[in-house]
Amino acid sequence: MPTTAPPPFPSPSRSRRPALGVLATGMLMTVLDGSIVTVAMPAIQGDLGFTPVGLSWVVNAYLIAFGSLLLLAGRLGDLIGRKRMFLAGTAVFTASSLLAGFATSPEMLIAARFLQGAGSAMASAVSLGILVTLFTEPRERAGAIGVFSFTGAAGASLGQVLGGVLTDALTWNWIFFINLPIGIAVFLIALPALPGDRGLGLTAGADILGALLVTSGLVLGIYTVVKIETYGAGSARTLGLGALALALLAGFLVRQATARNPLMPLRIFRSRSVLGANLVQMLMVAALFSFQILVALYMQKVLGYSASATGLAMLPAAAVIGLVSLTVSARLNSRFGERRVLLAGLVLLVGVLGLLTRVPGRADQADYLTDLLPVMLLAAGFGLALPALTSLGMSGAKEADAGLASGLFNTTQQIGMALGIAVLSTLAAARTESLTASGRPVPEALTGGYHLAFAVGAALILAALAIALTILRGPKGSSRPVTAGRGTQLAGL
């Protein structure tokens, strides 16, 4: 049974920038696809005849496949080679995008979206693992993670703008067709740009039972969470499915503690940085759902903005996030350490959600420059928090487990997103219904629901701050570099 780590990635200077470009573009494509669909939903419903309930599965099918397969894909990347997994995922995603663009029925589109989610999981799960083993010097790695984080944040905002433009100018089909040239280019450039790796071999961790337990548990768990809005948090259906999902995941942990070749070695959780960063990310992403989605709904349903105008109104947030991620985050992480930069970013994000609890409930009372632009500018906190959190989330994992750590980090991100969608949207809807029943005008009732969601989101960020202060403790300074030796850590606090 192989017990040694695979050879470290080579890092010739000429190959690293194209490799970073490929990984960042792959992340952009994945995030873009997750947000570009939202503004095209009415057109998709009218053309394919979706029911209101069925339409939600255009998003849910992608989310469930993506979130549930990340952990498995990350570990398989360690076993068969991270480059192979990235190429396979890009190919699956690109082919399924073509299928989605040609969809002629709800069933065909939902199946294509599920395949897109699977392809995204395969590529995304190993991207960070490739990046941190390719960029080993702390300052270079911090800069590379800043670029990687920026593309993710920019993709979310760009998707809303691009989705509206493509749907209005062409048809909804083009929100999927646009992935074809990007996906083909990423695949072709990745072939020579990404360094090859043999992987540990399937015998080093081919835990089939563990794979079945974790994948089925995550699928069922994410499905349960995204359906809370439909069935209610206290319904027998939600509680029963939730209990079954927890039982499957508990069985997975027991299996990993006893299996000879575990799919997910539990040693990865011995690192305070890995454990703390994943917990912080789950809370932060859940809270920021209320910023990305509910702010857009507020601008359209309360202020009367069009889809394109909403996307443009949110561009300042993408701009400041990009500016901070690309220009100052790496320097701040190197000088002050990722933990301190993360704390500063979280404080700014508390300000974002705190200001949103005060937005007016009537269009004639709202002013973009005073009510919303400060919120967009404070979103720079995300540009500070995400690169620092990404570095921390990948620290403490051994080189042989880089794909697993990458998959785990992305999995907690998707779980946080699912929780944010279910919990915050349910709270907002319930509050809106209560205010409407009491006779409040619809815009004010909607705003009241959004206010509650923003307040809960701020509380989640405060909880993330508490975890960062207590769990993410370590020596002063930035992450240490990966060395060429076997079994060394990628980074440490």
Side-chain angles (χ1 to χ4, degrees):
M1 179 183 68
T3 57
T4 59
F9 280 98
S11 56
S13 58
R14 292 182 179 179
S15 70
R16 288 187 294 178
R17 288 187 179 180
L20 176 60
V22 164
L23 295 173
T25 304
M27 170 59 71
L28 176 65
M29 183 171 61
T30 296
V31 176
L32 187 70
D33 193 75
S35 62
I36 199 172
V37 175
T38 56
V39 295
M41 298 280 270
I44 293 173
Q45 182 177 19
D47 194 12
L48 297 185
F50 273 97
T51 64
V53 174
L55 185 64
S56 66
W57 282 97
V58 176
V59 174
N60 291 343
Y62 182 89
L63 179 63
I64 289 172
F66 190 21
S68 61
L69 294 175
L70 279 164
L71 190 59
L72 175 59
R75 188 54 180 169
L76 287 177
D78 289 332
L79 300 179
I80 68 173
R82 293 186 277 272
K83 179 178 180 178
R84 292 189 186 97
M85 183 59 69
F86 181 86
L87 291 172
T90 301
V92 170
F93 179 83
T94 304
S96 57
S97 295
L98 182 63
L99 181 64
F102 283 119
T104 56
S105 67
E107 295 78 11
M108 184 176 177
L109 181 58
I110 290 173
R113 290 288 288 163
F114 188 91
L115 289 174
Q116 277 189 305
S120 292
M122 294 165 66
S124 300
V126 296
S127 294
L128 280 173
I130 296 173
L131 187 148
V132 298
T133 50
L134 188 63
F135 290 86
T136 58
E137 195 276 323
R139 184 177 293 274
E140 286 186 342
R141 187 173 65 248
I145 287 176
V147 172
F148 191 80
S149 301
F150 161 69
T151 57
S157 298
L158 181 60
Q160 293 177 325
V161 178
L162 193 59
V165 172
L166 289 174
T167 302
D168 291 341
L170 299 170
T171 65
W172 63 265
N173 312 76
W174 285 92
I175 67 173
F176 300 114
F177 289 148
I178 195 174
N179 291 326
L180 299 182
I182 302 175
I184 292 171
V186 167
F187 186 91
L188 294 177
I189 297 173
L191 284 171
L194 294 184
D197 61 315
R198 293 197 307 268
L200 294 168
L202 289 175
T203 57
D207 180 13
I208 303 302
L209 177 58
L212 291 174
L213 286 171
V214 70
T215 303
S216 58
L218 287 172
V219 167
L220 188 58
I222 295 174
Y223 170 80
T224 303
V225 169
V226 300
K227 298 302 287 183
I228 286 177
E229 188 175 1
T230 302
Y231 296 104
S235 69
R237 179 188 179 96
T238 298
L239 294 176
L241 292 178
L244 180 56
L246 290 175
L248 289 168
L249 294 175
F252 167 72
L253 292 177
V254 172
R255 170 68 180 175
Q256 300 315 288
T258 58
R260 183 179 181 183
N261 296 317
L263 175 71
M264 186 185 74
L266 297 183
R267 63 177 180 268
I268 194 171
F269 293 110
R270 295 173 187 169
S271 167
R272 295 173 67 95
S273 56
V274 172
L275 177 62
N278 278 280
L279 290 174
V280 169
Q281 178 181 229
M282 193 185 319
L283 293 169
M284 184 179 77
V285 171
L288 290 179
F289 160 79
S290 63
F291 171 74
Q292 181 181 342
I293 305 298
L294 296 185
V295 169
L297 291 175
Y298 168 74
M299 284 191 271
Q300 292 184 59
K301 293 188 175 183
V302 177
L303 303 186
Y305 287 21
S306 67
S308 299
T310 298
L312 291 172
M314 297 186 73
L315 276 181
V320 295
I321 290 171
L323 183 65
V324 171
S325 298
L326 294 175
T327 61
V328 300
S329 65
R331 296 176 184 175
L332 293 176
N333 286 334
S334 297
R335 181 169 182 178
F336 299 106
E338 289 91 345
R339 178 176 176 271
R340 291 181 178 178
V341 176
L342 171 63
L343 293 173
L346 290 175
V347 169
L348 291 178
L349 293 178
V350 172
V352 168
L353 295 171
L355 287 178
L356 286 173
T357 63
R358 302 173 60 86
V359 292
R362 288 167 43 185
D364 60 350
Q365 296 175 335
D367 182 80
Y368 177 79
L369 292 178
T370 58
D371 295 318
L372 291 175
L373 184 58
V375 171
M376 303 300 165
L377 297 179
L378 282 178
F382 192 69
L384 291 176
L386 187 58
L389 195 58
T390 303
S391 295
L392 292 168
M394 294 301 296
S395 66
K398 294 183 179 181
E399 187 172 323
D401 295 330
L404 171 62
S406 176
L408 177 64
F409 191 72
N410 282 290
T411 298
T412 57
Q413 185 178 90
Q414 296 306 306
I415 292 174
M417 185 182 300
L419 288 171
I421 291 172
V423 176
L424 298 182
S425 61
T426 299
L427 290 174
R431 177 61 173 165
T432 296
E433 184 178 351
S434 174
L435 292 174
T436 303
S438 67
R440 299 284 290 275
V442 172
E444 293 183 13
L446 285 169
T447 305
Y450 299 147
H451 282 169
L452 176 60
F454 296 145
V456 173
L460 292 175
I461 296 291
L462 289 173
L465 260 172
I467 292 175
L469 285 168
T470 55
I471 295 182
L472 291 175
R473 291 179 298 174
K476 181 180 178 181
S478 59
S479 300
R480 294 189 297 272
V482 178
T483 65
R486 293 176 178 174
T488 56
Q489 291 190 336
L490 292 173
L493 283 177

